[in-house]
Amino acid sequence: MSDQTTEATKLPKAPGEARRPISARTWTDIAVLLILVLLGVIGFEPSFGGYGFLVAGLGGLALGAATGILASVFRLNILLTVLAAVVGYFVFGSALAVQSQALFGFLPSLQSLASLAIGSVYGWADIVTLRTPIGAPVYIAVVPFFAAWIVALVSTSLATRWIASKPRTAWRFGIALIGPVALYVAGILIGTDEPYEAGLRGVVFATLALVWLGWRRPNAATVAPGAGNRLRNRKLAGTAVIVAGAVVLGGGAGFWLAPANDERFVLREEIEPPFDPLQYPSPLSGFRHYTKQVTDEQLFTVSGLKAGDVIRLATLDSFTGKLWTVTGPETATDGSGSFALVGREIPAQTFVTPEVRNEVTVTIGAYDDVWLPSVGYLTDLQFTGGDAETEGDNLRYNTATGTAVLTSGLSEGDSYQLNAIEQRVLTPADLENATTASIALPPVTGIPDLATSKAQEFAGAATTPAAQLQAMQLALTEQGFLSHGRASDSVPSRAGHGADRVTELFERLQMIGDQEQYASAFALMARSFGYPSRVVMGFAPELTGDEAEVTVTGDDVTAWVEVAFADVGWVAYNPTPDETDIPQAQVPKPQSEPQPQVRQPPRSESEEDDLLTPVELEESDEDDNGDPFVLPAWAWAIGLSLLIPAILIFVPLLIIGAVKARRARKRREAARGPDRVAGAWQELLDQYAELGYDVPKRSTRLMVAERLEAQLAEHPVRLRSLAVAADAAVFDGQEVDEERSEKVWNEAIAAIAVARGAVTRARRILSRYRIRSERKKK
């Protein structure tokens, strides 16, 4: 009788049955757990830099708690509870977490539903790579919403169903604390070096959890008369001791033993940003693309510049011997590869002698790369038009180099407005006594010996860094000649900036090249002295200071070198000569005198006009002619609330069903008769396994058949005869005709039908989502 009663309690309750009341003790458990969840959610404050995220966090907490409580009151089983929770998450999540994407600020839209799904999965990776305080992407608020929702849902479900049931054991209460503790720890790990009220929150959290565990600890079944009051008094005394100890010991430990802020372990300091600039070609390798192929094309227009301003495109501080490139994120420096998602505010650059540039507006024309044309070091950037206006979540920025990247790419019509600070232009006199800064840059490899010797030669008797750099700059600008290698240039000039091209630049009678070669050579010479230098590629349109707007073309492309000086910033050097009238009587030829035997990277075998173009982004030029009919918001809300669960349920079902059908068809239509019969047996085994039967492996067909028949004792099925038929077809060497193989297949299908009828409906449904396929047994 007791077994029957126990089984009866496990059956799902009918919808019309009485509601389950919640006891006062259970309400206390719910309150304690939700307070602990709240303490964990508040820990997200350092990441968001304010309390705006609490709308999403508290909303998720309330939604999860309400779902868990109502599911218990109405006696919903686990499957219906999960379904109700998912529907509530998407229906109410738009208004609580992504209001800006919701219709009228509270109704679900396709965009808000997508953000709720994406944020719950990818938001955790983004939040530890975003610069704080976090304000973008839009779906980032889904992280505290989802975290509070899932923990509150699980905690209230455990409190109303599991803890409330008998027998109550101490370990049940401990398991109920796992969710709040995990949320509390998550707030610390994804936060910053300065946690939010760490001591106070920690003491309150620990005290409340310990007191709750103490009061809810099950008592002995037999208590002597009058012992109840003594037990209550002991618990009150124990509570007072715990509170006092937590305040004194916890507060003291937090003050004396807490690590310094810069020694705290937070994930954002350990996890590399997901963007890898090495996935894109080096911008400098496409320099001749601008000087030859798009010379007169209008790449973009800029307003707000002043005379002497240059437009920064990309900063390159890693030299591989073949090219200058952006440092990869795996390099442990603050170099040009340290890109990160941009939050609500762009971190300020402090290593600079600043000049302010505000309200600079850029409108994209024919330019179509990922590198964002900008000025100086950004302090604010807002996309104002084009496709980029909705692609702000794809913006990455490097604070150290002032380089911005839009991973989705820029296209014609995009526009944005930026505020920035630039490095003030300094004279040689300003740098006379300055020393170069101590900055960790990635090491360069493959510096030509000729570049090192030329650096010593050009520097001459100069002793200070500024004097040596100025001497090298003057030598290049006064002794060199400018040629882009165009047909109109008097002397050819090969593209490239690797070690072989820099060697060629120096070993000819006349130095001939353009900004690509001279900037590379100057940066390598500066590195040979141990000075921190980097190459910057950008544009230098002609400015007089009076233009309201200037058009930038491919002919405006340039490259320069920046060297870091202590307490000053990165100072720009332009080592490219202006002289283009190369003496015809002195056509450059390679010097015949031998050079030191130095192993150099292989010289490019490409022709003179072969160019390494910048990254080309794939585009989809779909014509959007607008919808002739617009559905009302309520129709979208109802349709999507039905469509999304249907997609989640039926699309995998259709895909797996198609795979299974193809599997069976391939086996049944095999060319050889024995293969068709063996395929029938294998199809039977696969479907039995998908239904949840224990199908032995590495056994003979007859042994497997006996095991399966034993599992179907109450539903007689002849599997041994099928096993014998399959063995005979495979091993007796006789021809198997179509009629014989079809007979085996029909018997296998009948056996599968018996097996399906012997299991529960839930197992039949689950089998449709499982797929098992092993190589057929010979």
Side-chain angles (χ1 to χ4, degrees), residues 740-762:
R740 181 179 172 186
S741 64
E742 281 300 308
K743 180 182 178 181
V744 175
W745 265 97
N746 291 333
E747 292 178 358
I749 292 173
I752 292 171
V754 173
R756 293 186 65 85
V759 298
T760 63
R761 184 178 181 182

Side-chain angles (χ1 to χ4, degrees), residues 259-566:
N261 287 343
D262 59 354
E263 295 179 359
R264 293 182 182 272
F265 179 85
V266 290
L267 290 177
R268 69 179 61 254
E269 301 295 336
E270 305 295 331
I271 297 178
E272 297 293 346
F275 171 70
D276 185 0
L278 294 182
Q279 295 177 355
Y280 302 90
S282 169
L284 193 60
S285 66
F287 191 89
R288 293 288 176 93
H289 167 74
Y290 293 101
T291 61
K292 283 189 172 183
Q293 298 180 3
V294 294
T295 306
D296 299 320
E297 285 194 31
Q298 297 183 2
L299 302 178
F300 51 88
T301 59
V302 186
S303 63
L305 296 180
K306 296 183 179 180
D309 285 349
V310 290
I311 299 168
R312 181 182 296 266
L313 193 63
T315 304
L316 318 168
D317 56 6
S318 177
F319 185 72
T320 65
K322 295 182 179 180
L323 50 81
W324 282 92
T325 187
V326 179
T327 305
E330 73 283 353
T331 303
T333 70
D334 291 329
S336 55
S338 304
F339 286 83
L341 280 164
V342 176
R344 185 170 62 249
E345 298 178 3
I346 297 177
Q349 170 63 273
T350 57
F351 185 59
V352 63
T353 305
E355 280 191 359
V356 178
R357 294 288 184 273
N358 287 333
E359 298 183 356
V360 177
T361 302
V362 180
T363 303
I364 301 299
Y367 180 80
D368 60 350
D369 210 337
V370 297
W371 307 95
L372 204 73
S374 60
V375 176
Y377 301 96
L378 298 178
T379 57
D380 183 65
L381 186 142
Q382 299 292 331
F383 290 102
T384 56
D387 296 337
E389 193 171 5
T390 60
E391 299 293 336
D393 295 351
N394 296 323
L395 180 66
R396 306 296 195 277
Y397 184 67
N398 183 299
T399 306
T401 64
T403 304
V405 171
L406 189 68
T407 57
S408 56
L410 291 167
S411 58
E412 187 172 3
D414 292 341
S415 63
Y416 51 92
Q417 187 176 79
L418 61 90
N419 297 332
I421 54 174
E422 288 190 318
Q423 170 66 41
R424 183 166 59 88
V425 178
L426 302 175
T427 65
D430 296 328
L431 300 171
E432 183 177 1
N433 297 319
T435 59
T436 55
S438 177
I439 293 180
L441 290 177
V444 296
T445 57
I447 298 181
D449 284 354
L450 195 54
T452 302
S453 62
K454 285 292 183 180
Q456 298 291 337
E457 175 186 336
F458 293 157
T463 56
T464 65
Q468 291 173 337
L469 292 168
Q470 184 183 11
M472 291 189 295
Q473 180 185 19
L474 289 175
L476 293 177
T477 56
E478 293 179 356
Q479 300 177 25
F481 295 90
L482 175 63
S483 172
H484 293 296
R486 300 171 181 151
S488 59
D489 292 338
S490 58
V491 174
S493 172
R494 185 167 66 89
H497 57 271
D500 63 325
R501 184 63 180 90
V502 172
T503 299
E504 180 182 325
L505 177 73
F506 287 131
E507 70 182 359
R508 294 192 173 210
L509 294 177
Q510 300 285 354
M511 291 184 293
I512 298 176
D514 57 13
Q515 291 90 339
E516 179 185 5
Q517 290 81 49
Y518 285 107
S520 177
F522 186 84
L524 291 176
M525 288 193 295
R527 285 289 187 98
S528 71
F529 279 104
Y531 301 153
S533 62
R534 63 193 189 187
V535 176
V536 184
M537 180 177 169
F539 299 89
E542 293 185 5
L543 298 169
T544 63
D546 299 325
E547 297 91 349
E549 184 176 84
V550 61
T551 298
V552 178
T553 66
D555 196 44
D556 295 319
V557 70
T558 188
W560 65 93
V561 176
E562 292 180 343
V563 180
F565 283 87

